[in-house]
Amino acid sequence: MFNEENRERIRENIQYINQIKAEAAVKAGRRDEDILLVAVTKTRPPEDLNAAIDAGITDIGENKVQEIMDKYEAVKPVRWHLIGHLQTNKVKYIIDKVAMIHSVDSIKLAEEINRRAEQHNLTMDILIQVNAAEEESKFGITTDETEEMIRYILENCANIRLRGLMCMAPFEEDPEKVGVFFAQVKEQYDRFAKIEHERLDFKYLSMGMSHDFEVAIAEGSNLIRVGTAIFGARNYNKTV
Ligand SMILES: *Cc1c(COP(=O)(O)O)cnc(C)c1O
């Protein structure tokens, strides 16, 4: 009984998020289907992921390599996204499991992704994580470093395809305050999208979470990463 209620709650929450997403898209003069909802499932058990997939979710986001490893076999076929900070020594565990890595923030990491992708004979889609607000506490690189890194990857990493940018806005009680930040990242995105190269194919601007995704969509996001608003508050003490 509890299980059914849980599944039902997840389904309703996804419907609700999809509705707000559609309204935000229309307000921004864009098409709902051009904005991808990635369900963020960190700390959640495989049953919750499967419930989300049954409710229409096609893309799952995890911020830890270990959680992808632990859940992978128990979850129905879905596209996995690594959205959290990635240590170079863990790339090998997920290189053949994820559809895209959102959190590339150093040349060293890009090189390791490239090396592992080459071993598996695949091309990995990545986003560069930018930190336009230049907060010390967050990973991601500054505006100036971003262009340098894009050039480096295009020249040296033949098994990486650059698909766009990702950012995490500083937390503000009032999400409207982060609009300026999102707009800055969108500006960078548009600038880099113009670089002509066969392995630069910008399609995703990954920004917006549970409490700020409407603002992010208004400012040009086309991929939102939503956890709490679908699955409820996280309990980090509970093991999966
Ligand atoms: C946890 C997480 C999210 C989702 O955050 P919610 O506030 O639960 O929606 C999005 N992106 C990243 C990188 C995360 O780690």
Side-chain angles (χ1 to χ4, degrees):
M1 193 55 207
F2 168 77
N3 248 339
E4 261 324 299
E5 276 171 28
N6 188 41
R7 288 175 60 82
E8 182 58 18
R9 184 179 54 91
I10 289 170
R11 201 178 59 79
E12 281 173 9
N13 288 344
I14 290 168
Q15 259 178 8
Y16 179 67
I17 298 296
N18 272 326
Q19 193 186 323
I20 300 178
K21 171 167 104 57
E23 285 165 11
V26 169
K27 255 193 244 165
R30 297 164 44 219
R31 298 192 317 175
D32 178 33
E33 59 266 40
D34 292 337
I35 302 169
L36 177 65
L37 169 62
V38 173
V40 177
T41 51
K42 58 193 185 211
T43 77
R44 299 292 165 187
E47 302 83 77
D48 285 14
L49 281 70
N50 285 330
I53 293 164
D54 289 342
I57 288 293
T58 55
D59 293 75
I60 291 284
E62 287 283 354
N63 72 333
K64 289 209 175 88
V65 166
Q66 190 61 49
E67 286 201 52
I68 296 179
M69 309 275 292
D70 290 346
K71 298 174 203 176
Y72 194 76
E73 292 299 330
V75 171
K76 298 181 178 188
V78 71
R79 279 191 298 269
W80 294 82
H81 298 245
L82 196 281
I83 61 173
H85 182 63
L86 177 57
Q87 289 173 294
T88 50
N89 63 354
K90 296 195 173 152
V91 172
K92 56 179 178 282
Y93 301 119
I94 48 108
I95 194 72
D96 58 345
K97 295 188 174 59
V98 302
M100 189 154 77
I101 300 172
H102 291 224
S103 44
V104 178
D105 60 357
S106 75
I107 284 175
K108 198 174 119 215
L109 176 59
E111 281 180 328
E112 176 63 6
I113 292 169
N114 186 58
R115 192 168 78 89
R116 297 294 178 182
E118 194 182 352
Q119 283 177 357
H120 284 265
N121 205 12
L122 57 84
T123 301
M124 182 52 68
D125 281 354
I126 69 154
L127 306 180
I128 292 180
Q129 183 173 356
V130 298
N131 179 4
E134 309 200 356
E135 284 182 295
E136 299 247 332
S137 62
K138 291 227 170 65
F139 293 105
I141 60 176
T142 61
T143 314
D144 290 346
E145 291 164 328
T146 308
E147 179 154 10
E148 199 181 316
M149 204 163 115
I150 287 175
R151 301 278 175 201
Y152 184 90
I153 291 172
L154 293 177
E155 273 169 39
N156 301 286
C157 303
N159 290 68
I160 286 181
R161 187 160 57 151
L162 285 163
R163 301 311 305 270
L165 303 180
M166 178 270 217
C167 73
M168 282 178 79
F171 182 82
E172 295 280 356
E173 282 299 331
D174 175 7
E176 293 296 333
K177 287 196 180 141
V178 296
V180 183
F181 171 85
F182 287 140
Q184 269 174 31
V185 179
K186 166 71 167 141
E187 221 175 272
Q188 276 191 69
Y189 177 88
D190 288 340
R191 191 153 64 84
F192 297 134
K194 291 194 189 105
I195 297 175
E196 287 198 27
H197 194 285
E198 59 178 354
R199 282 182 293 99
L200 185 141
D201 180 13
F202 269 29
K203 183 173 177 201
Y204 300 109
L205 179 53
S206 169
M207 54 186 198
M209 309 177 13
S210 289
H211 83 288
D212 60 12
F213 75 86
E214 285 178 82
V215 183
I217 290 172
E219 299 298 341
S221 164
N222 61 20
L223 187 163
I224 58 173
R225 310 178 308 267
V226 179
T228 310
I230 294 175
F231 301 101
R234 284 179 288 273
N235 176 359
Y236 284 98
N237 297 320
K238 197 182 79 187
T239 50
V240 175

